[in-house]
Amino acid sequence: ETLKRAMNYGSRFKKIGKECKSEFERYWKCLDMNNQMYMYCRDEEEPFTKCALLKLVNISNLIQRF
């Protein structure tokens, strides 16, 4: 079970690189330029978070859990 979850996490992380590449790059570059201070990168964080939620989260799995 643990291995299965780890593999699932890895595949989702790879999907972020594929599906949300530009949003992710803008966000991490901002963090890199601002010494990892999240408060300075909120404008870059929002599009990345939206992309990740819309394209990566399986809504049916979330509904079944609750």
Side-chain angles (χ1 to χ4, degrees), residues 38-53:
Y38 295 101
M39 64 185 168
Y40 298 122
C41 299
R42 296 296 182 206
D43 291 340
E44 290 79 8
E45 179 187 21
E46 186 178 353
F48 170 66
T49 302
K50 284 182 180 179
C51 179
L53 288 174

Side-chain angles (χ1 to χ4, degrees), residues 14-27:
K14 286 179 185 177
K15 196 171 182 182
I16 287 174
K18 182 179 177 185
E19 299 287 333
C20 304
K21 184 177 181 175
S22 63
E23 293 89 345
F24 180 70
E25 285 181 356
R26 273 185 263 138
Y27 184 41

